[in-house]
Amino acid sequence: MNRKNFFEFLRLEICSAKKYYIIFFLILTSFFSITMSMFSSAVVVPAQYKANLREAFPKGTSLLSMGSPEKTVGMQEAGVDYISFMYNGITHNASLKNGSSILDNLLGEAQLFKNVFNKTSYMSRLDGLCVSGRMWSEDDNGVKNQIWLSKPAAAALQASVGHEVELTGRAADVRLAVIGIYEENAEEDNTPAFVISYGTAYAILDGVGEGTFFLEIYDVTRIARVVNELDKRGIDWFDMSGTVDNVNAIASSETLFWVLTVILLIIGAFAAANVLAMLVKVREKTYGLYKMLGAETNYIMNLAFSALSFLLTFSAVFGIFFSVLINGYFDGIALDLFNADFKIGLVWYAPVAVIAINSLFLLLRYFRTKRRLDKISPLIVLTEET
Amino acid sequence: MVEIRNLSKKYGDFFALNDISMTVEQGDYTAVMGRSGSGKSTLLHIIGGLDKATVGQILFEGEDIAAFSEKRAARYRNQKIGFVFQAFHLEPSYSVYKNMEIPLLIAGTEKEERRERIKKYADKLGISEKLNSVSRTLSGGEKQRAAIARALITEPKLILADEPCGNLDSVNAGTIMDIFDMLNSEGKTILLVTHQEGDAKRARKRIVLHDGAVMNE
């Protein structure tokens, strides 16, 4: 069969069946525009809510919780950036010795901080949050069996860098190498203090009891995930910033948007795929006539498929146009009703995803429709007067 | 041209055609007669490659059409056979021009040649003035002349006509039969299925079918 007249035949086919193509065009354009709008909303609306929340909490947020440090193991995977564990009085009987010099009971008000990340430099932590405590320790991070001394502590012990001091704890005595001497913040009480590693603290204190946690989350939108993890672990928590409900509401709306998007995507893709089958069904007699006049199944199938591809392309273009209008309309409504400065627009990958999924479904349908077309006998023309 | 050997067509237990053998020579004008249900249309469909025989052979210029692939059968219908039916079977939303153009588009005929052939056969069948009319708006006689023009457009060797005057009044029927006479006089081979004695008398050869079998030749 000669294919050089294919496009002329295609034009004839589309012109003659235009009423069906117009109906299919309207159906597909509706699906495309609604799906693309919903897809964009699913991406943009929750993202805008999250951005607003981040703007309101630029330094993140905190949760307060109770328990032992073991309970927080792995919380960083749930989105926690920093955990402070506070337990007063855990080191009552700790004392530092260097030869005959002893610093006793200097840690009655000690706080134990645990940074869940090891990325921050040692000194920046020293200059930042951690100097506020009498005793500060962290994950081992290569400083186990080492100690930093505050200037008053070093003076009292007559110790300098390179010396070794002995720390007597409730459970064990350890010998620690002095690796640095620091000055206390001027605003702080200038009593002798020191810095040891978290692991060292554990060793001398025989573990720690129940205390208070501050879980710091730099990205406020992660709070829901953290709370969920705390609930799973059976740890009570208190939302100090009151953002959990907001974040949960955003997550729910995001889920709803995506569920609707996926439903629309699937329905739309099925519709597009079935348009091909419907086209063959409604044009059954004409295609039978084409067969009687010498057209092969492949020829007719390619005719229907090409016609539908054109239709899908036009529907997609109009769908993009209408979805921009729809989302622009909702921007206006949001502005009027909630004074919310929304800019949903159309995310570029919404049309790409919608068209890709529709094309995939259409291709899958191609072979099934071809089998159906194969079964159309030229004799179907004779079943009724045309 | 067409040689039919021991052809049978069965639908379940019913024999629509039962062991038919016959020959159609180049330039023949053969009328196949018989009552309704005698199998004459089935015979025409099988010869035209629209249906398959249950057993037997149909040789068209020495080739067994039952052995044709889908592609070959399609080309056979497009190039060798012209169909004319009682109900015309024009595409109702197409113009006469477009209806006549379909077989040529399928055949891959160039645009200029398509135009020339359509003009030639429209003139021959007296429907030149109706070329741009949508076929559903034509009268019965015009529809049948358009259908014949479409059947002739690829210049097939064999015209298969199934009750071509069945839906026409006597005047139009006479015109259509005159056209068949003219085509045969020009060398076209025609196989005409009819139950009208008058129409059959115009053919040079008559075959009568009864219950799927040849009763008289």
Side-chain angles (χ1 to χ4, degrees):
Chain A
M1 181 168 299
N2 198 315
R3 295 190 176 267
K4 66 187 169 190
N5 293 327
F6 183 78
F7 287 101
E8 286 179 75
F9 205 159
L10 183 61
R11 196 181 59 188
L12 175 72
E13 163 67 15
I14 291 173
C15 289
S16 65
K18 55 181 175 289
K19 70 175 177 187
Y20 297 117
Y21 286 106
I22 289 169
I23 293 168
F24 293 148
F25 169 78
L26 292 175
I27 292 170
L28 292 173
T29 304
S30 308
F31 271 120
F32 280 153
S33 45
I34 294 169
T35 311
M36 287 174 193
S37 309
M38 189 57 78
F39 195 115
S40 298
S41 302
V43 173
V44 175
V45 173
Q48 285 199 348
Y49 275 126
K50 284 178 185 174
N52 292 345
L53 210 53
R54 284 191 190 107
E55 206 178 308
F57 294 91
K59 290 183 177 173
T61 187
S62 309
L63 286 170
L64 192 63
S65 176
M66 298 289 289
S68 68
E70 284 80 6
K71 285 192 172 180
T72 65
V73 172
M75 278 304 291
Q76 61 267 41
E77 281 154 26
V80 176
D81 296 294
Y82 197 95
I83 298 173
S84 303
F85 179 70
M86 297 196 307
Y87 181 69
N88 293 334
I90 56 174
T91 55
H92 275 306
N93 60 352
S95 59
L96 271 176
K97 279 195 284 187
N98 182 27
S100 57
S101 303
I102 297 174
L103 282 171
D104 215 359
N105 276 339
L106 74 166
L107 301 170
E109 297 290 325
Q111 289 182 5
L112 187 64
F113 291 89
K114 182 185 180 189
N115 185 351
V116 295
F117 287 150
N118 293 325
K119 289 175 185 168
T120 324
S121 77
Y122 193 76
M123 287 311 290
S124 71
R125 271 178 274 164
L126 193 66
D127 294 339
L129 293 169
C130 305
V131 292
S132 60
R134 289 292 190 81
M135 184 183 84
W136 171 76
S137 66
E138 58 169 274
D139 287 333
D140 290 345
N141 197 22
V143 294
K144 198 171 181 181
N145 298 327
Q146 294 176 340
I147 188 166
W148 280 75
L149 294 175
S150 70
K151 215 167 179 179
L157 292 169
Q158 297 172 321
S160 56
V161 175
H163 283 171
E164 210 173 49
V165 294
E166 189 180 343
L167 180 58
T168 305
R170 198 166 57 195
D173 299 343
V174 290
R175 295 194 71 78
L176 305 164
V178 179
I179 60 161
I181 293 165
Y182 64 92
E183 284 194 52
E184 289 274 16
N185 188 316
E187 292 174 12
E188 295 292 326
D189 178 8
N190 206 21
T191 52
F194 61 87
V195 175
I196 56 174
S197 78
Y198 196 74
T200 305
Y202 251 68
I204 65 163
L205 299 176
D206 188 22
V208 283
E210 297 263 314
T212 307
F213 289 104
F214 278 103
L215 297 105
E216 294 189 23
I217 303 138
Y218 296 158
D219 180 355
V220 64
T221 60
R222 288 205 304 257
I223 197 167
R225 194 148 57 96
V226 174
V227 163
N228 191 32
E229 182 63 26
L230 289 173
D231 286 342
K232 262 196 224 165
R233 294 178 183 210
I235 302 172
D236 290 335
W237 50 270
F238 175 69
D239 176 16
M240 295 163 75
S241 57
T243 50
V244 172
D245 289 344
N246 279 340
V247 173
N248 276 334
I250 295 170
S252 302
S253 72
E254 193 171 19
T255 306
L256 180 68
F257 272 125
W258 278 112
V259 166
L260 288 174
T261 302
V262 169
I263 290 172
L264 282 169
L265 259 175
I266 291 171
I267 293 174
F270 266 112
N274 280 308
V275 162
L276 186 63
M278 280 191 280
L279 188 65
V280 169
K281 178 68 189 161
V282 296
R283 301 282 288 162
E284 202 171 47
K285 286 212 156 182
T286 305
Y287 293 162
L289 178 68
Y290 292 166
K291 277 191 173 182
M292 190 179 81
L293 297 174
E296 294 166 39
T297 302
N298 276 345
Y299 189 88
I300 300 168
M301 190 65 208
N302 290 341
L303 208 61
F305 189 73
S306 304
L308 195 59
S309 300
F310 277 117
L311 190 70
L312 278 175
T313 307
F314 279 114
S315 302
V317 170
F318 277 83
I320 290 169
F321 174 73
F322 283 120
S323 54
V324 169
L325 287 184
I326 290 169
N327 283 351
Y329 179 70
F330 282 116
D331 285 352
I333 289 180
L335 190 63
D336 290 345
L337 290 180
F338 310 113
N339 202 23
D341 189 13
F342 267 83
K343 284 281 173 282
I344 302 175
L346 187 70
V347 291
W348 68 267
Y349 47 89
V352 173
V354 172
I355 293 166
I357 290 170
N358 276 276
S359 304
L360 179 70
F361 272 65
L362 184 63
L363 274 176
L364 293 175
R365 197 67 169 161
Y366 178 93
F367 299 102
R368 203 167 149 192
T369 310
K370 189 167 176 288
R371 283 199 295 276
R372 184 184 189 141
L373 188 62
D374 233 353
K375 287 179 186 165
I376 295 177
S377 159
L379 285 171
I380 195 167
V381 181
L382 309 179
T383 54
E384 192 181 305
E385 189 170 333
T386 53
Chain B
M1 183 188 233
V2 182
E3 191 181 348
I4 297 170
R5 293 178 186 162
N6 308 109
L7 180 76
S8 292
K9 175 73 180 177
K10 231 176 136 183
Y11 296 105
D13 292 332
F14 171 71
F15 276 95
L17 294 172
N18 194 0
D19 198 28
I20 287 181
S21 296
M22 61 183 268
T23 308
V24 178
E25 298 295 346
Q26 174 79 43
D28 267 1
Y29 186 178
T30 307
V32 180
M33 297 186 68
R35 287 183 184 172
S36 183
S38 60
K40 49 192 192 301
S41 292
T42 305
L43 176 66
L44 205 77
H45 299 157
I46 292 172
I47 295 171
L50 300 176
D51 204 355
K52 296 266 183 195
T54 309
V55 289
Q57 274 188 317
I58 301 175
L59 303 176
F60 184 91
E61 295 180 329
E63 284 186 281
D64 186 1
I65 66 167
F68 284 172
S69 63
E70 194 220 336
K71 192 175 176 176
R72 181 80 180 83
R75 201 163 67 222
Y76 167 74
R77 288 195 294 270
N78 183 253
Q79 301 289 314
K80 308 284 186 188
I81 306 292
F83 294 102
V84 181
F85 295 100
Q86 177 179 351
F88 326 121
H89 300 305
L90 297 169
E91 179 55 34
S93 61
Y94 292 3
S95 66
V96 172
Y97 188 97
K98 295 290 179 198
N99 265 293
M100 289 173 70
E101 198 179 22
I102 297 170
L104 297 176
L105 285 169
I106 293 168
T109 310
E110 294 290 346
K111 191 170 187 174
E112 197 49 45
E113 195 184 340
R114 290 203 306 267
R115 194 177 294 137
E116 280 172 17
R117 281 216 217 169
I118 290 167
K119 187 178 179 313
K120 175 183 163 186
Y121 285 101
D123 286 345
K124 194 179 181 93
L125 275 297
I127 50 168
S128 300
E129 309 245 315
K130 297 288 178 183
L131 277 178
N132 293 319
S133 304
V134 177
S135 66
R136 67 168 159 260
T137 64
L138 303 178
S139 70
E142 288 166 340
K143 280 181 184 172
Q144 196 57 294
R145 278 183 283 151
I148 296 170
R150 185 183 64 187
L152 295 172
I153 202 82
T154 54
E155 300 182 340
K157 293 194 170 177
L158 178 61
I159 302 291
L160 299 176
D162 190 358
E163 304 277 10
C165 304
N167 276 353
L168 302 177
D169 57 60
S170 59
V171 176
N172 276 311
T175 308
I176 295 301
M177 291 312 296
D178 290 344
I179 290 168
F180 283 120
D181 291 348
M182 174 188 74
L183 292 172
N184 182 243
S185 67
E186 289 172 358
K188 289 281 179 208
T189 309
I190 298 169
L191 192 61
L192 173 75
V193 164
T194 183
H195 61 272
Q196 297 284 341
E197 190 72 30
D199 294 345
K201 277 182 181 168
R202 292 186 179 227
R204 292 187 198 161
K205 192 169 150 188
R206 276 179 285 175
I207 295 168
V208 180
L209 291 185
H210 182 72
D211 290 341
V214 176
M215 197 171 81
N216 186 17
E217 195 169 347

